[in-house]
Structures are given as C-alpha cells and as structure tokens.
C-alpha cells in the first residue's frame, strides 16, 4: 500500500450521511430530548456541533462553552459562537473557574506546579458540567474525540472523552478537517490548530511532536498492520519516529477500554459480557 | 411451475430483540406484496430479531419450525404467498447450538430452511462465536420455481451459489445484513454470482443502525447475464416489486454457457489445494 495523503480521502457525502443517520437514530431510539456537547471553539467540537445540528436540528443541540481563567481565549468562544450561529445550535456559557478553585483548595495534596494532574481536573470538571445538563434536560452527551487523539491516548481519561456517543471517533484529525469544510464549517475554523486547553498556550501538535498530516498516515498504516519500517520508508521519516508512535498507540489501550477486572465468574463485564447496545 | 413470477424485495430495518413487532411488520408487508401481485416476498438476514443482538441470541433463537415460523406459515397460508426471511435457529437436539438460518414458507406451510455455511468472524463480525455453520446447500422445488438460498457472506464463496445452481435452482435468493463499508463488494459479488451461474439472483439487505453498524440496503434483482433489473434505495427502508421470467435463462445459458463448460476434474484439484493452504 502506498501511504500517500490520498489514502485518507473519503467519500464525504457518504461520511456525512452516515454520521447524521447514526446521530439521529441514536437520539430517537434513546428517547432523549436532544444532544449536549462541550464547545471549545476547536475543529473537533465545532464539527460535531455542526453535524449534530444537521442531523437533528440545531434547536435540539446545546453547546456548552466552559472557559476558565488560566486558558481563557476569547477567540475560542467567538469561534464556537460563529459555528453555533451558523448551524442554529443553542449555547450556554458556564465559567468553571470557581469549581476548579474548589477542587484545588479541597485536595490536600494539590500541587499547582504539576500541570498535567491539574489540567486533567479541568477536563473532568467540564465533563461534570456537560453530564449535569444531560441529566437535567434528558440529553445525549456527544463527544468530539477524533481517531488521531483516541489512538494516541491524547485525551483525559473520563474527561473530554467521556460521552454517550462519539460521532467522529472513526475519523483521523485531517479527515475531520475535511469533513468540517465539506459541511461548511468556515475554512479558518476547519484548519485551526488544536489544543486541549488544559494549560496556557498548549498545542496538540507541539505536544505530540508531529504534524497531524504525518501522524495520520502513520496511524493509517498501523491500523492496516503495516510494519514501522515500511511506514517510515514510505513517509521518508526515521523508523524510530514510527516506533515511538506505535508504542504509544499500544500503550494507551487502557484509556480506551472498560476497566480490566479479573475473570472470576461466568460472564464478565468488559471481556465476555456481550450485550447489544441500546435495545432496551 | 410458473414461467414468470413476481418478487417483492422487502428491505426493512428490524426492531432488535422484538420478534413480535418484526412479525407484525412481516405480516403487513406480506399483505401489501400480495395486494400488489407478488408471489414471493423476501426479508433480510436475521430480520426476525435484528442482526447485532450478541449474546441475546441464546434467548431469541427458536427451533425451526417453532413459534415464529408457525406464525409465518399462518401468514403465508392466509395470504397465499411464499415468504423467505432470516432468523437465529436453535438446534432441536441441544439447548444452545445455534444456526444463522434462512426460512422458506409457502401457502402450504413450511418448505425448508438453509443454514448459513460461511460465518464471518473478522472485523465487526462475530458469527462463529454464536453459530455453528450449516453443511448443506439448499434448493427447493416449489410452484414458483426451483429456488436456492444463501446468506450474505456466502456470496464471497462461489461454491455456495454454484451448488444450488447445480441442484437446479434458477432463482437464487441471498438474504443479507451487510454494513455500509462493504457495499462495493456486494455490488460486485451479486452480479458475479448471477452471471457465472446464469441464474436470477435476488439480494435483500437489511437497513438501519445497530450498535453503530449501518446496513446499506441496496437490495436488487440481477438477471442471469448480470444486469440489475431493479435496485432498492441505499440506507433506507424500501419495498420493490420485480419480475423474474425463467424463460430468459435459456438465452443466457446459450450466450454464456458456463454450466456447459464446467470442468469437474478441477474441483478435485481445488479440494486438494485448499486443504493445503
């Protein structure tokens, strides 16, 4: 297989209609009143908000903007509002700083200098707000995670990835950008650099140490069982770079699964308890 | 036997784990097919229960004949129709040995069944986890023609349709639960299986979303020369009527004489080679 950028091309008309059908069918079958999602102003949540609105109508989609003072960027809120207005998505701003400060104060071992643990509190706090609206208003929580982040484990466990459905999780980041443009998310927002907004000036590509255009091709090759050397040769990059991605790809499986449990009984959750989803 | 028959391709989505609701749907659509002059109505693979029901299969499966099949026999008798549909079958001799089965009933009751021989167990499919494969091709002599059955992934193996054709089937019915990412394969294979056997092939696929899997529909009737006579909508429920004229097979067999040109001695070689893959 030739690992050219064209391997990531999709029939966007089909992809759009499949995602819309998936969302519509899930919301209808669940009996929910609509969808709630966190809108960060980034390409992933803007795309999910837009396609959700196209699937079930913007009046049934609520985008929560959940800023906090350390990472506050008015441009992000503006960008989310642009998409919300264009697609008729309802919005609500909840300033989460007081909640975060409550956590910081009440955790006896809290260390403000350790930014990852602190940043994860932010992602998990946002999750709490989103699920509150879901419970209170009988909405489905729609996640915005893409396949690049999911396969790299570039998310907060039980935080930003926590959702009932994740319409974009089978699309790599560069594919999400294409889908965004296809469904008329403004071009400058479709190409906007990604950030998890856990601390100031955080950049996804900077932290991952690789451009999404290259990462997605590596992930595409790994998904199809290509050897790291073959991927490296085709992309003209060092084999170590591919091996590094592969190790992370394998190492973060714990973030993508139900918690492991020892096999003790007849049927076990997460392993051989295999029930259909959403039939009752 | 009739020279011409009318088929109704009933491309439905199933209510998972709700046999009653699906049987009611079968009945309504069969009645509609009857009113529109059809002789045979075909429903998709596992349409009695839905396809993605996982371990609930053990609760949903029934012997054949069993309660659901008896109800379908009643519908067939009442409407004077032939009906083919898919369901999980529980072996009468065991308590939890299942088959993925196509059932054929008619105005005189139960005609026969076919147990899927090739069970996909890869990618999103886990059929071998639950089902035992069938061991026999199935072609049935009926007043509406000699009809052979196969199910979905069987189409990837030319031997299944070839076997029913060699048993004399002139119409091959394939019921299916094929997800959208595999649409292009089935569009090729349905035409190929009809053409290489110079037989009519009716393909009826499920639609709907089950556990994130989306079934693509696109049910169709293919002529013995591989042409599409009718095609149902993609991704949505649909109901399509079409006609099979068995007389067309004669011309097809003279123009593309694949059956005349069969080489039985190659099958021995095929057997030997496949045993040593």
């Amino acid at each position: 297989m030739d690992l050219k950028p064209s391997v990531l091309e999709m029939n966007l008309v089909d992809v759009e209609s499949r995602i819309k059908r998936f969302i519509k069918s899930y919301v209808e079958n669940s009996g929910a009143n609509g969808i709630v999602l966190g809108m960060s102003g980034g390409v992933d949540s803007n795309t999910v908000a837009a396609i959700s609105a196209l699937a079930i109508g913007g009046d049934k989609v609520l985008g929560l903007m959940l800023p906090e003072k350390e990472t506050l960027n008015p441009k992000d809120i503006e960008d989310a509002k642009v998409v919300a207005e264009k697609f008729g998505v309802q919005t609500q701003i909840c300033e989460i700083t007081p909640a975060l400060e409550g956590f910081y104060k009440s955790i006896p071992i809290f260390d403000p200098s350790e930014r990852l643990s602190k940043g994860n509190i932010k992602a998990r706090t946002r999750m709490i707000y989103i699920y509150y609206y879901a419970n209170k208003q009988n909405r489905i929580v729609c996640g915005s995670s893409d396949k690049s982040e999911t396969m790299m484990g570039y998310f907060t466990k039980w935080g930003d990835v926590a959702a009932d459905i994740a319409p974009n999780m089978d699309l790599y980041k560069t594919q999400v950008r294409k889908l965004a443009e296809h469904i008329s998310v403004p071009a400058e927002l479709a190409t906007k650099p990604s950030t998890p907004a856990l601390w100031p000036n955080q950049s996804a590509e900077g932290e991952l140490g690789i451009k999404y255009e290259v990462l997605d091709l590596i992930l595409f090759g790994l998904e199809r069982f290509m050897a790291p050397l073959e991927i490296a040769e085709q992309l003209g990059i060092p084999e170590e770079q591919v091996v590094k991605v592969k190790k992370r790809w394998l190492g973060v499986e714990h973030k993508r699964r139900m918690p492991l449990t020892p096999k003790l009984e007849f049927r076990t959750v997460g392993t051989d308890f295999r029930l259909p989803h959403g039939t009752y | 036997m009739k020279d011409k028959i009318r088929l109704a391709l009933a491309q439905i989505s199933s209510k998972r784990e709700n046999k009653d609701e699906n049987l009611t749907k079968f009945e309504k659509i069969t009645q509609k097919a009857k009113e529109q002059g059809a002789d045979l109505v075909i429903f998709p693979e596992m349409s009695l229960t839905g396809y993605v029901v996982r371990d609930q299969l053990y609760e949903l499966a029934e012997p054949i004949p069993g309660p659901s099949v008896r109800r379908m026999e009643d519908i067939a008798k009442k409407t004077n129709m032939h009906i083919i549909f898919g369901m999980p079958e529980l072996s009468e001799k065991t308590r939890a040995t299942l088959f993925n089965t196509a059932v054929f009933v008619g105005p005189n009751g139960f005609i026969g069944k076919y147990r899927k021989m090739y069970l996909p167990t890869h990618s999103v499919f886990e059929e071998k986890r639950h089902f035992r494969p069938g061991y026999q091709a199935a072609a049935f002599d009926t007043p509406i023609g000699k009809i052979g059955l196969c199910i979905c992934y069987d189409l990837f193996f030319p031997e299944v349709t070839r076997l029913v054709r060699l048993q004399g089937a002139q119409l091959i019915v394939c019921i299916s639960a094929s997800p959208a990412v595999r649409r292009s394969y089935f569009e090729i294979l349905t035409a190929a299986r009809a053409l290489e056997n110079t037989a009519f092939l009716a393909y009826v696929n499920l639609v709907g979303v089950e556990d994130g899997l989306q079934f693509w529909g696109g049910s169709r009737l293919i002529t013995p020369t591989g042409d599409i006579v009718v095609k149902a909508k993609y991704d949505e429920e649909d109901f399509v009527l079409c006609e099979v004229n068995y007389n067309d097979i004669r011309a097809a067999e003279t123009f593309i004489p694949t059956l005349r040109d069969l080489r039985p001695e190659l099958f021995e070689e095929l057997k030997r080679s496949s045993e040593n893959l």
Side-chain angles (χ1 to χ4, degrees):
Chain A
M1 179 182 295
D2 286 341
L3 269 186
K4 295 174 187 160
S6 60
V7 297
L8 293 166
E9 284 171 11
M10 303 168 297
N11 180 333
L12 291 165
V13 174
D14 273 359
V15 169
E16 179 193 349
S17 69
R18 282 183 207 164
I19 292 177
K20 287 195 301 195
R21 202 175 303 115
F22 167 79
I23 293 170
K24 189 165 188 281
S25 134
Y26 193 92
V27 173
E28 281 174 0
N29 290 337
S30 68
N33 296 332
I35 274 176
V36 58
L37 79 158
M39 286 187 80
S40 66
V43 61
D44 287 339
S45 59
N46 274 340
T47 306
V48 171
I51 204 161
S52 297
L54 293 172
I56 60 170
D59 57 327
K60 290 186 178 161
V61 179
L62 174 64
L64 289 185
M65 299 165 195
L66 303 162
E68 56 91 25
K69 69 177 183 189
E70 287 180 348
T71 55
L72 176 65
N73 179 354
K75 177 74 169 65
D76 289 336
I77 293 179
E78 237 173 75
D79 290 347
K81 278 186 178 167
V82 165
V83 169
E85 271 169 35
K86 183 172 170 101
F87 291 89
V89 170
Q90 311 300 298
T91 57
Q92 174 68 55
I93 298 181
C94 305
E95 226 290 1
I96 68 168
T97 307
L100 294 176
E101 287 175 347
F103 281 117
Y104 303 156
K105 279 180 200 155
S106 61
I107 298 173
I109 60 165
F110 183 71
D111 174 2
S113 67
E114 210 280 275
R115 64 181 188 176
L116 181 62
S117 304
K118 183 182 173 188
N120 283 335
I121 291 178
K122 297 176 185 176
R124 293 184 182 119
T125 300
R126 291 187 174 111
M127 177 273 289
I128 290 169
Y129 278 75
I130 295 166
Y131 266 97
Y132 182 83
Y133 274 83
N135 287 156
K136 184 87 172 90
Q137 299 181 339
N138 188 28
R139 293 176 184 271
I140 297 296
V141 175
C142 196
S144 299
S145 303
D146 64 49
K147 197 170 183 175
S148 309
E149 294 169 352
T150 305
M151 295 318 297
M152 292 300 279
Y154 191 67
F155 57 85
T156 298
K157 200 171 179 176
W158 318 124
D160 50 318
V161 79
D164 301 314
I165 54 173
N168 280 359
M169 202 181 264
D170 207 20
L171 296 176
Y172 291 112
K173 177 74 83 187
T174 50
Q175 294 174 317
V176 173
R177 294 194 193 285
K178 293 268 168 57
L179 177 64
E181 285 184 29
H182 170 74
I183 60 173
S184 302
V185 169
E188 68 275 19
L189 302 185
T191 53
K192 182 180 170 180
S194 293
T195 170
L198 298 186
W199 51 81
N201 305 316
Q202 188 181 16
S203 143
E205 285 185 334
E207 283 194 320
L208 289 166
I210 191 167
K211 288 271 177 203
Y212 276 116
E213 284 72 16
V214 179
L215 175 64
D216 287 357
L217 288 173
I218 295 174
L219 295 172
F220 182 92
L222 293 174
E223 182 182 338
R224 280 158 181 75
F225 301 98
M226 288 175 74
L229 180 61
E230 190 186 356
I231 293 172
E233 283 175 352
Q234 287 213 32
L235 297 180
I237 58 177
E239 187 186 2
E240 305 85 75
Q241 192 173 8
V242 181
V243 170
K244 195 175 156 193
V245 169
K246 186 174 183 182
K247 279 186 178 167
R248 183 161 175 171
W249 184 78
L250 288 167
V252 294
E253 178 64 8
H254 71 96
K255 296 178 84 171
R256 294 185 287 255
R257 285 226 218 158
M258 285 291 286
L260 275 190
T261 183
K263 177 75 184 163
L264 301 173
E265 267 295 350
F266 189 70
R267 285 199 280 176
T268 306
V269 173
T271 53
D272 57 352
F273 224 126
R274 289 165 180 255
L275 298 176
H277 193 299
T279 52
Y280 282 95
Chain B
M1 191 190 98
K2 288 180 167 182
D3 282 340
K4 289 182 185 176
I5 63 165
R6 279 172 73 78
L7 310 184
L9 313 182
Q11 178 173 295
I12 62 165
S13 66
S14 297
K15 181 78 175 171
R16 283 188 291 164
E17 296 190 61
N18 193 332
K19 290 188 276 189
D20 267 347
E21 190 171 320
N22 295 325
L23 284 164
T24 303
K25 195 171 199 173
F26 288 170
E27 182 166 16
K28 279 185 189 161
I29 292 174
T30 303
Q31 187 61 46
K32 178 179 166 183
K34 176 67 185 175
E35 286 162 10
Q36 297 191 19
D39 301 286
L40 168 63
V41 58
I42 306 163
F43 296 94
E45 177 184 12
M46 293 282 286
S47 47
L48 178 66
T49 58
Y51 181 77
V52 186
V53 288
R54 311 193 90 185
D55 286 356
Q56 291 300 91
L57 279 168
Y58 295 111
E59 291 183 15
L60 294 164
E62 295 178 16
I64 296 175
S68 293
V69 171
R70 276 194 285 277
R71 196 162 149 196
M72 291 304 288
E73 288 179 86
D74 290 343
I75 294 168
K77 285 174 191 170
K78 197 170 78 181
T79 54
N80 200 34
M81 283 283 289
H82 289 81
I83 308 169
I84 294 168
F85 68 101
M87 64 175 280
E89 178 191 0
L90 173 65
S91 158
E92 283 178 350
K93 296 173 186 162
T94 73
R95 297 290 181 95
T97 300
L98 312 184
F99 300 91
N100 180 342
T101 300
V103 182
F104 195 176
V105 295
N108 297 319
F110 182 69
I111 294 171
K113 65 185 177 186
Y114 164 71
R115 292 167 166 172
K116 188 173 182 179
M117 288 204 267
Y118 288 95
L119 300 171
T121 308
H122 56 269
S123 179
V124 295
F125 306 104
E126 48 187 26
E127 291 193 21
K128 277 184 196 153
R129 179 178 172 85
H130 301 107
F131 297 121
R132 176 173 170 76
Y135 286 88
Q136 286 198 317
F140 303 98
D141 262 320
T142 76
I144 58 167
K146 187 139 189 176
I147 296 174
L149 303 181
C150 67
I151 304 178
C152 203
Y153 187 51
D154 283 335
L155 279 182
F156 284 73
F157 304 88
E159 45 272 34
V160 180
T161 47
R162 177 57 46 91
L163 277 168
V164 294
R165 184 70 174 106
L166 293 179
Q167 289 176 5
Q170 297 188 5
L171 167 62
I172 299 168
V173 170
C174 178
I175 60 173
S176 185
S178 164
V181 288
R182 290 168 188 262
R183 184 173 91 195
S184 60
Y185 309 153
F186 279 87
E187 300 210 282
I188 293 166
L189 290 171
T190 46
R193 297 291 91 89
L195 179 61
E196 72 196 4
N197 287 298
T198 52
F200 284 94
L201 189 144
Y203 174 78
V204 179
N205 192 19
L206 201 62
V207 287
V209 184
E210 299 185 8
D211 263 33
L213 268 191
Q214 296 188 32
F215 301 100
W216 60 275
S219 303
R220 60 199 59 203
L221 176 68
I222 312 275
T223 68
T225 46
D227 300 313
I228 298 173
V229 181
V230 288
K231 186 166 88 170
K233 290 177 193 160
Y234 290 138
D235 306 309
E236 291 173 34
E237 289 199 320
D238 202 0
F239 174 87
V240 175
L241 283 168
C242 48
E243 186 177 88
V244 166
N245 184 344
Y246 290 119
N247 292 325
D248 293 348
I249 293 176
R250 185 177 184 182
E253 277 189 36
T254 59
F255 195 60
I256 313 161
T258 55
L259 299 178
R260 184 202 67 189
D261 293 340
L262 280 181
R263 298 280 305 275
E265 71 276 17
L266 296 181
F267 297 153
E268 285 302 318
E269 177 57 30
L270 195 61
K271 180 173 181 296
R272 274 194 300 277
S273 300
S274 59
E275 283 168 353
N276 292 303
L277 191 65

